[in-house]
Amino acid sequence: MSPSPLFRRHRVPALLLALAAAALAGCASKSPAPANYDFGPLPAAASTTAAAAKPAALVMADVSGPAALDSERMHYRLLYADAQQTRPYAYNHWSGTPLQLLTQRLKARVAQAGVKVLAPSDAAAGAMLLRVEVEEFAQTFSSASQSQGSIRLRASAFRNHQLLDQRTFARSSPAASADAGGGARALAEASDALSADLLAWLATLPAAAK
């Protein structure tokens, strides 16, 4: 026996409502796929510092900084809305903490320049010690569509427990896209530029007495 016309009239809207509810539930459950970022492959070395001026060996301590940078969260700052607040990306993270990524990158770039990188536990007498403290590390948006990766750090050079010099460095690199991926690439470029700045500065410091 076929369903009555009244049953068919009620069944069709109910079926449509069920399908619509299922579609909405599916859309609501679909969130952006999480992504992890690092600084990418090491770029080719740029010969900007004379080989004779570079220290033969350098003791590099791990980069230090605020507690907020000891986390894998990726942060950005809206300069046009609330410059005093940093906000985390919801679905994007660093593969390590910014402090770890900066430590690895700076050591790799210094070694790439031909300087032997030593750990504090392996320090030889008279070797220069470099300490780096990060003051700012963030993707900053000047508008909804334009951003840059900004890093500011303070570097201190010691020899035999005596301070040789201390200087603050800052670099910003424009992001190719206004998202986490663009910020990651911009911050990697800024870190590479800072590595070159540090090497040029270290080349101006007095060499160890023989």
Side-chain angles (χ1 to χ4, degrees):
M1 183 174 63
S2 61
S4 68
L6 179 63
F7 178 79
R8 287 197 299 271
R9 284 199 303 272
H10 285 287
R11 183 180 64 176
V12 173
L15 180 60
L16 291 176
L17 286 174
L19 291 173
L24 288 174
C27 292
S29 64
K30 290 182 179 178
S31 57
N36 293 332
Y37 292 93
D38 56 24
F39 286 170
L42 197 67
S47 55
T48 56
T49 305
K54 292 180 295 187
L58 181 66
V59 180
M60 292 191 67
D62 289 348
V63 174
S64 62
L69 297 181
D70 198 17
S71 164
E72 288 82 8
R73 301 298 297 270
M74 295 186 73
H75 289 85
Y76 62 93
R77 190 186 299 271
L78 302 179
L79 300 179
Y80 62 91
D82 188 355
Q84 282 69 45
Q85 181 182 8
T86 59
R87 308 160 192 257
Y89 279 102
Y91 301 102
N92 303 291
H93 296 79
W94 292 109
S95 61
T97 71
L99 298 180
Q100 291 171 336
L101 294 175
L102 272 173
T103 296
Q104 295 167 0
R105 193 65 156 204
L106 292 179
K107 288 183 177 181
R109 292 295 268 176
V110 169
Q112 187 184 48
V115 180
K116 293 182 175 64
V117 178
L118 306 177
S121 59
D122 300 326
M128 187 184 299
L129 167 66
L130 177 65
R131 294 189 182 277
V132 174
E133 182 178 359
V134 180
E135 297 177 346
E136 181 184 8
F137 181 95
Q139 181 182 9
T140 57
F141 283 81
S142 54
S143 69
S145 59
Q146 292 184 330
S147 68
Q148 58 187 2
S150 300
I151 306 176
R152 186 176 66 252
L153 54 83
R154 183 171 62 251
S156 304
F158 299 85
R159 181 177 287 117
N160 296 327
H161 307 289
Q162 299 294 319
L163 179 65
L164 295 176
D165 195 10
Q166 184 179 86
R167 189 170 297 184
T168 298
F169 298 89
R171 282 284 189 165
S172 294
S173 180
S177 57
D179 54 14
R185 288 186 290 273
L187 285 164
E189 292 172 0
S191 70
D192 288 333
L194 284 171
S195 300
D197 293 341
L198 287 171
L199 283 167
W201 168 63
L202 292 173
T204 67
L205 301 182
K210 295 183 180 180

